[in-house]
Amino acid sequence: QVQLVESGGDQVQPGASLRLSCVTSGFTLDDYAIGWFRQAPGKEREAVSSIKGNDSKYYSDSVKGRFTVSRDNAKNTVYLLMNSLKPEDTAVYYCAAARYALVFGLLPSSLMDYWGKGTLVTVSP
């Protein structure tokens, strides 16, 4: 059974850092690209970061330079390190897996095969 489980969300002040984890099971992580997405209240889900099997990494303009994605295939885990958090980063963050990442750059949600249930990040003074 395929599972992706996010953790690490919390309520923090602006400027703080958080590291989200996405623990995967039921498939071989090496064979998949992983995307991080977020959905803020009243807004559409947006792609934040992607990491592909060859370890290429992509970021949205809104998080570039502040967020870093990484993967540890041995631990079946993908991480999203978020620095210099801003109130506009407040959202539910999801990780998702795509078997065929046949696009350049950030993976769109339409390509993702499996999704986690999300973890809430709240950034407020």
Side-chain angles (χ1 to χ4, degrees):
Q1 180 182 2
V2 172
Q3 279 193 316
L4 294 91
V5 180
E6 305 93 336
S7 64
D10 203 351
Q11 180 170 350
V12 297
Q13 294 188 340
S17 297
L18 280 177
R19 188 179 77 161
L20 304 183
S21 299
C22 172
V23 177
T24 70
S25 61
F27 63 95
T28 303
L29 183 58
D30 307 44
D31 294 337
Y32 283 73
I34 301 295
W36 283 98
F37 298 81
R38 67 186 181 186
Q39 187 165 20
K43 295 189 176 181
E44 293 188 356
R45 183 168 53 194
E46 63 171 337
V48 173
S49 179
S50 302
I51 183 166
K52 299 184 179 176
N54 61 1
D55 213 38
S56 55
K57 304 170 184 178
Y58 303 92
Y59 303 93
S60 66
D61 288 343
S62 61
V63 308
K64 198 173 296 182
R66 299 188 298 123
F67 289 12
T68 303
V69 65
S70 62
R71 63 195 294 163
D72 185 338
N73 290 337
K75 294 184 178 180
N76 295 317
T77 303
V78 178
Y79 304 99
L80 185 67
L81 176 61
M82 307 186 296
N83 294 322
S84 304
L85 282 162
K86 305 175 181 180
E88 50 264 43
D89 295 318
T90 295
V92 177
Y93 284 72
Y94 301 89
C95 64
R99 181 65 179 89
Y100 299 105
L102 301 177
V103 296
F104 179 79
L106 278 174
L107 298 174
S109 57
S110 58
L111 272 185
M112 313 313 289
D113 298 304
Y114 306 109
W115 289 85
K117 294 184 178 181
T119 185
L120 176 63
V121 173
T122 304
V123 185
S124 63

